[in-house]
Amino acid sequence: MKIILDAFGGDNAPVETIKGAAMAVAEYGVKMILTGDEQEIRCVAGEQGVPLDGIELVHAPQVIPVCAEPTSIMKEYADSSLAVGLRLLAEGEGDAFVTAGSSGALVVGASLMVKRIKGIKRAAFAPTIPCVGGSGNYMLMDSGANVECRPEMLMQFGVMGSAYMNKIMGIERPRVGLINVGVEESKGGELQLAAYKLLQKAPVNFVGNVEPRELPFGACDVAVCDGFSGNIVLKLTEGVASAFTKQIKGVFMKNLGTKLAAAAVKGGMSEFKKQMDYTEHGGAALLGTARPTIKAHGSSNAKAFKNAIRQAKLFAEQDVIGEIELGLAELKQRGQELEV
Amino acid sequence: MKIILDAFGGDNAPVETIKGAAMAVAEYGVKMILTGDEQEIRCVAGEQGVPLDGIELVHAPQVIPVCAEPTSIMKEYADSSLAVGLRLLAEGEGDAFVTAGSSGALVVGASLMVKRIKGIKRAAFAPTIPCVGGSGNYMLMDSGANVECRPEMLMQFGVMGSAYMNKIMGIERPRVGLINVGVEESKGGELQLAAYKLLQKAPVNFVGNVEPRELPFGACDVAVCDGFSGNIVLKLTEGVASAFTKQIKGVFMKNLGTKLAAAAVKGGMSEFKKQMDYTEHGGAALLGTARPTIKAHGSSNAKAFKNAIRQAKLFAEQDVIGEIELGLAELKQRGQELEV
């Protein structure tokens, strides 16, 4: 198993990417390819005392800035660590790819270089979000790759998310829900009304519309929506949790009594914090591309990269893409009814 | 000042509506009109020992079910407590109207009976949501009345929300933000791109795009978006806060030590809970109709109704609608540049 890592993606590259890669080699026995400025990687690894055993370096002289036009990955930044990593993945030099770099460039580069799974309209970001109840996590798809979506795309998100949650999380018949403003079939705009009908007939365990209030309580295993709505769900969940934490901290810091109280609940709180911590959960799968790709959080540290690499390994090992293809084949068989 | 209250709207009607009305009469010195089955109101008031001083009753034999088709308020349910209340408001029998009944029927009934402010394309729900930082609350508009919106509507939401936050919350130049997937002007779909341009030229303090992550930290005073997105923001904020509270409670209930800790932070926690409590905040203003209308939470109790009545009183007293008309007049003056 060989995982390709963009050594220059994210706020803390390349120190944390290199460390994360070395940790993954030691812990999971994977082989790694790191893409980026070879000399700098060797220099940083030396400085930090990180061994490069089991790590192959492939030189890439450029770094694509996060704010760059995503399509620039195909021309202006064709020699960036992100582009080179995707090219290696497309050529079969590695089994999966991880980056914490530009999301937009990743979607464009992966769609054009690695290509999409045959029949898939669009690739989409699919992070798993901690929740209370259910399996403790739900997959949100799309969380921002496609700001505007057609109903067929939402149906395919359901099929892909279902395959992933089944193979990676071991959930037998993942409950697929459509994010909507009400539970009744008649709710939502044109997109939701049409997607509801398609999902009903798709080879997934469709549980109908799910209201955003119920998402944090694990109302479904795969929550399907357009990328604009999904981005709201992702970022607002982060924001509310973070604001809440800040308020609770304020309550605990008030006086000596409350500070002692903080000490008493420290164990439970840190367990709870661990559950909410993105560094524990790897990254967001980019589902729909022909080979496994993981987008790690931009502010990932070594541990987060290590976990994203583990996730990429599972993604390849469990043949999620083969499972998606099975779903698509079944979808095709039902094609005449579906009128897609 | 006379406030009309739909006595049969909400899960706890008519007991809590009657109590809330009596509390408002005693506390704020307002006069009230209650619409609904007169005999039942008298009977419940008697049973509960609630005085009906200062409360006028206007008989309405029907109650419109929450699940009824919203347009049914104009024909099938034209004699419902909600419809009768709106008719009284339109005829100038009261200064403002409060209901905890069907949101959809309220929007339809208010738009057709009370009518919209001249020049306003659509009325929208505008609740205020607690946040950390800023003024402690931000207005979210639209939170669900219009699932699909045009750019002009979003601009008008900015103008209306601004007028409300200025007059009711005393914020001098409310910061109006556009909810989007990134802060850059180029982010979002067609709706956001066009709305950004219109808001830039509108007579409001437009602070640009706001990411949902920043909303709970008070990044703006008025957050503008389509009703589908706004409904996600409203309900997800509620859901995440509620899931978080549940988890924290679990941490505190673990053992004797943590239970003692809970006692130590009880004061701070209940203050915090009060801040998050919707019954303290009244309801959501329905902005855009020609006379003041407040939608109270469906599960409102007497205190929540009382606060919603106070909010309706302020809405009328502070002449928010006059302020919106001033904004529209300025918008019209800038008309040639705006190409609306």
Side-chain angles (χ1 to χ4, degrees):
Chain A
M1 182 66 55
K2 195 185 275 182
I3 312 293
I4 308 163
L5 173 65
D6 169 6
F8 285 79
D11 308 335
N12 307 312
V15 174
E16 300 295 314
T17 49
I18 298 170
K19 283 186 181 170
M23 284 161 76
V25 169
E27 218 162 299
Y28 312 129
V30 293
K31 286 180 180 164
M32 298 287 309
I33 298 179
L34 260 59
T35 60
D37 188 300
E38 191 175 339
Q39 211 179 340
E40 194 177 340
I41 295 175
R42 286 200 191 282
C43 172
V44 169
E47 273 173 11
Q48 302 279 333
V50 180
L52 291 179
D53 310 327
I55 298 178
E56 190 183 322
L57 305 184
V58 174
H59 185 64
Q62 294 178 306
V63 176
I64 184 167
V66 174
C67 56
E69 182 56 38
T71 52
S72 67
I73 192 172
M74 300 309 291
K75 279 199 162 173
E76 199 185 337
Y77 291 105
D79 289 325
S80 61
S81 55
L82 179 50
V84 169
L86 285 170
R87 214 143 51 220
L88 291 170
L89 182 70
E91 289 162 359
E93 295 295 322
D95 300 291
F97 175 65
V98 175
T99 181
S102 159
S103 303
L106 172 60
V107 174
V108 172
S111 300
L112 296 178
M113 288 190 258
V114 184
K115 308 273 197 251
R116 285 190 284 267
I117 298 169
K118 198 166 175 265
I120 288 294
K121 308 263 176 198
R122 291 290 185 90
F125 286 118
T128 53
I129 298 183
C131 61
V132 181
S135 73
N137 285 286
Y138 71 94
M139 169 162 274
L140 174 68
M141 189 168 184
D142 176 17
S143 79
N146 309 284
V147 165
E148 277 161 300
C149 287
R150 293 187 307 280
E152 295 77 17
M153 290 162 63
L154 266 59
M155 180 200 56
Q156 293 191 340
F157 295 165
V159 172
M160 293 195 279
S162 206
Y164 187 95
M165 291 304 271
N166 174 256
K167 285 292 186 179
I168 302 289
M169 298 291 185
I171 299 169
E172 209 163 311
R173 295 182 66 234
R175 295 160 302 147
V176 176
L178 178 64
I179 295 181
N180 209 334
V181 295
V183 293
E184 303 87 353
E185 191 176 337
S186 63
K187 290 285 181 176
E190 278 177 38
L191 175 66
Q192 288 76 29
L193 294 173
Y196 191 102
K197 290 211 165 64
L198 292 176
L199 280 161
Q200 268 184 319
K201 296 178 185 168
V204 297
N205 177 18
F206 181 51
V207 295
N209 290 327
V210 169
E211 287 198 88
R213 192 187 284 117
E214 304 305 325
L215 289 173
F217 290 97
C220 59
D221 301 304
V222 179
V224 165
C225 61
D226 64 280
F228 190 85
S229 301
N231 203 260
I232 293 181
V233 172
L234 180 69
K235 290 179 178 166
L236 189 67
T237 300
E238 232 179 284
V240 174
S242 159
F244 226 88
T245 307
K246 194 179 165 185
Q247 290 292 79
I248 299 280
K249 266 189 191 157
V251 168
F252 277 122
M253 294 311 286
K254 232 171 179 177
N255 57 44
L256 183 66
T258 59
K259 281 179 191 167
L260 288 172
V265 293
K266 204 178 167 196
M269 282 292 186
S270 69
E271 200 178 292
F272 173 51
K273 259 171 82 178
K274 191 174 168 182
Q275 198 184 330
M276 299 295 297
D277 184 5
Y278 74 91
T279 66
E280 299 283 341
H281 293 271
L286 178 65
L287 293 183
T289 51
R291 299 181 68 84
T293 304
I294 298 288
K295 167 70 177 74
H297 202 289
S299 56
S300 290
N301 58 16
K303 191 170 96 185
F305 280 115
K306 185 198 74 177
N307 282 323
I309 293 164
R310 182 177 57 88
Q311 190 185 1
K313 176 176 173 269
L314 276 174
F315 193 163
E317 268 175 6
Q318 294 295 316
D319 193 22
V320 174
I321 288 168
E323 185 74 11
I324 292 174
E325 286 169 334
L326 284 179
L328 289 177
E330 195 174 334
L331 206 52
K332 209 174 173 183
Q333 265 193 327
R334 302 187 185 187
Q336 285 167 311
E337 309 159 49
L338 270 172
E339 301 160 36
V340 178
Chain B
M1 180 68 54
K2 195 184 274 183
I3 313 292
I4 308 161
L5 173 65
D6 169 6
F8 285 80
D11 308 336
N12 308 312
V15 174
E16 301 295 314
T17 49
I18 298 171
K19 283 186 181 169
M23 284 160 76
V25 168
E27 218 162 299
Y28 312 129
V30 292
K31 287 182 180 164
M32 297 287 310
I33 299 178
L34 261 58
T35 60
D37 188 299
E38 190 175 339
Q39 210 178 343
E40 196 178 339
I41 295 175
R42 287 199 191 282
C43 171
V44 170
E47 273 173 12
Q48 301 280 333
V50 180
L52 291 179
D53 310 326
I55 299 177
E56 190 181 325
L57 305 184
V58 174
H59 185 65
Q62 294 178 306
V63 176
I64 184 167
V66 174
C67 57
E69 182 57 40
T71 51
S72 67
I73 192 171
M74 300 308 292
K75 280 197 162 176
E76 200 184 336
Y77 291 104
D79 290 325
S80 62
S81 54
L82 179 49
V84 169
L86 284 170
R87 214 144 52 219
L88 291 171
L89 182 70
E91 289 162 358
E93 295 295 322
D95 301 291
F97 175 65
V98 175
T99 180
S102 159
S103 303
L106 172 59
V107 174
V108 171
S111 300
L112 297 179
M113 288 189 260
V114 183
K115 308 275 196 254
R116 285 191 284 269
I117 298 170
K118 197 167 176 267
I120 288 293
K121 308 264 177 199
R122 292 289 186 90
F125 286 118
T128 52
I129 299 182
C131 61
V132 180
S135 72
N137 285 286
Y138 71 94
M139 168 161 276
L140 175 68
M141 189 169 184
D142 176 18
S143 79
N146 310 284
V147 165
E148 277 160 302
C149 286
R150 293 187 307 281
E152 294 76 18
M153 289 162 63
L154 266 58
M155 180 198 57
Q156 293 191 339
F157 295 166
V159 172
M160 292 195 280
S162 206
Y164 187 95
M165 291 304 271
N166 173 255
K167 285 292 187 179
I168 303 290
M169 297 292 185
I171 299 170
E172 208 163 316
R173 297 182 66 233
R175 295 160 303 146
V176 176
L178 178 65
I179 296 182
N180 208 336
V181 295
V183 292
E184 303 86 352
E185 190 176 337
S186 62
K187 290 285 181 177
E190 278 176 39
L191 175 65
Q192 288 75 29
L193 293 173
Y196 192 102
K197 290 212 166 65
L198 292 177
L199 280 162
Q200 268 184 319
K201 295 180 189 166
V204 297
N205 176 19
F206 181 52
V207 296
N209 289 326
V210 169
E211 287 197 88
R213 192 187 284 116
E214 304 306 326
L215 289 173
F217 289 98
C220 58
D221 302 304
V222 178
V224 165
C225 62
D226 64 281
F228 190 86
S229 301
N231 202 259
I232 292 181
V233 171
L234 179 70
K235 290 179 179 166
L236 190 66
T237 299
E238 230 179 285
V240 174
S242 158
F244 226 88
T245 307
K246 195 178 163 185
Q247 288 292 80
I248 299 281
K249 265 189 192 157
V251 169
F252 277 122
M253 293 312 288
K254 233 169 179 178
N255 56 45
L256 184 64
T258 60
K259 281 180 192 166
L260 287 172
V265 293
K266 206 179 165 194
M269 282 292 185
S270 69
E271 200 177 294
F272 174 50
K273 258 170 81 180
K274 191 174 167 182
Q275 198 184 332
M276 299 294 295
D277 184 4
Y278 74 89
T279 64
E280 299 283 344
H281 293 272
L286 177 64
L287 292 184
T289 51
R291 298 181 69 86
T293 304
I294 298 287
K295 166 72 176 76
H297 203 289
S299 56
S300 290
N301 58 16
K303 191 170 95 182
F305 281 114
K306 184 197 76 178
N307 283 322
I309 292 164
R310 182 176 53 90
Q311 189 185 1
K313 177 176 172 268
L314 275 175
F315 193 162
E317 267 175 6
Q318 294 295 317
D319 193 22
V320 175
I321 288 168
E323 185 74 11
I324 291 175
E325 286 168 335
L326 284 179
L328 289 178
E330 193 172 337
L331 205 53
K332 209 173 172 184
Q333 265 193 327
R334 301 186 186 187
Q336 284 168 311
E337 309 158 50
L338 269 173
E339 299 160 38
V340 177

